[in-house]
Amino acid sequence: MPKHFPFPPDILIPPKTTAAIAYISKLAGVSPATISRVLNHRELVKPETVSIVEQAMQELGLSLPPSVSEKKSRKEVILVNCPQGTNPFYEEVISGVITSATAHGFYTLLNYSPLNRGTIEDFLELLHKIKAAGVITMSPLSTEFLKTITKEVPLVQCCEYNKDSDCPYVSVDDFSAAKNAVRYLISCGRNKIAILNGPSQYKYAKE
């Protein structure tokens, strides 16, 4: 990395000015757009690139703005509401949620409280206390409850979802999965097939 550039130091204050960004980018050997991302959205930049930019700024006697430094050390929480704590199916899904959340710099907090008229206020209070960045719900919820939660934070439905709601969801095609299972049993020569189903309020049970 070059140590000297013919630019006066007074253009570098504050570090987010166009002139300062251009100077830092030349010293770091990366584009001005990359410098801007490091200053504003460092989570979108490779760690090694962030390190190079920080080194260049240190050589110039600059430090990251306070908001950036705070963002670097702060992790936000995603609250995951799950209807059961012992079902191995949910264990697999939650494992995937935690892996992805961690990779993007988020903590996950698991909540197994059933969401109904008697508990929804406590759930909203929990959202406020932990300053949740969002909610992933795996329970079948009414449109009313979904609207109540989305007024507070972004929400994604997982596994179970309300077809009448416009909330985004990630789910399984349970009908096709069951159909494939039956076809497999028939291909094995079985013609007396039974099903053990779950509670009818769940989407998987209906399909």
Side-chain angles (χ1 to χ4, degrees):
M1 179 182 296
K3 298 295 183 181
H4 303 286
F5 274 83
F7 290 89
D10 56 350
I11 69 168
L12 300 173
I13 305 298
K16 284 192 176 184
T17 62
T18 302
I21 288 175
Y23 188 30
I24 296 168
S25 72
K26 287 188 176 182
L27 183 59
V30 298
S31 70
T34 298
I35 302 299
S36 180
R37 281 194 292 271
V38 170
L39 293 174
N40 298 289
H41 301 286
R42 64 187 298 130
E43 69 277 7
L44 302 178
V45 185
K46 294 181 179 179
E48 53 267 30
T49 303
V50 173
S51 178
I52 291 174
V53 172
E54 289 181 336
Q55 182 181 344
M57 293 180 68
Q58 288 174 2
E59 291 187 14
L60 297 170
L62 297 173
S63 60
L64 292 173
S67 60
V68 177
S69 299
E70 291 170 5
K71 188 171 184 180
K72 179 180 180 181
S73 60
R74 188 185 73 240
K75 279 194 175 184
E76 295 182 315
V77 178
I78 295 175
L79 183 60
V80 182
N81 177 257
C82 181
Q84 299 180 30
T86 58
N87 191 320
F89 169 78
Y90 291 117
E91 288 180 4
E92 293 284 342
V93 177
I94 291 172
S95 176
V97 169
I98 294 174
T99 298
S100 183
T102 302
H104 289 83
F106 289 86
Y107 290 120
T108 49
L109 179 63
L110 302 182
N111 172 266
Y112 294 106
S113 300
L115 296 182
N116 51 48
R117 294 192 182 282
T119 62
I120 188 64
E121 290 300 325
D122 289 338
F123 185 77
L124 296 178
E125 183 179 352
L126 175 61
L127 289 180
H128 294 150
K129 283 184 176 180
I130 67 174
K131 299 180 180 179
V135 168
I136 296 175
T137 175
M138 301 179 188
S139 303
L141 299 180
S142 66
T143 303
E144 176 188 355
F145 282 178
L146 290 171
K147 287 183 177 180
T148 299
I149 296 172
T150 54
K151 287 180 181 178
E152 307 295 331
V153 294
L155 178 147
V156 175
Q157 303 174 90
C158 182
C159 304
E160 297 293 322
Y161 66 93
N162 186 329
K163 295 181 179 179
D164 298 324
S165 170
D166 57 1
C167 291
Y169 65 87
V170 178
S171 190
V172 176
D173 185 346
D174 296 291
F175 180 85
S176 294
K179 189 174 182 179
N180 290 337
V182 173
R183 282 179 170 172
Y184 172 74
L185 292 174
I186 292 173
S187 72
C188 294
R190 304 294 189 261
N191 54 23
K192 292 183 179 180
I193 301 170
I195 178 173
L196 299 177
N197 207 351
S200 60
Q201 74 263 29
Y202 291 102
K203 178 188 71 70
Y204 76 81
K206 295 175 183 177
E207 295 190 356

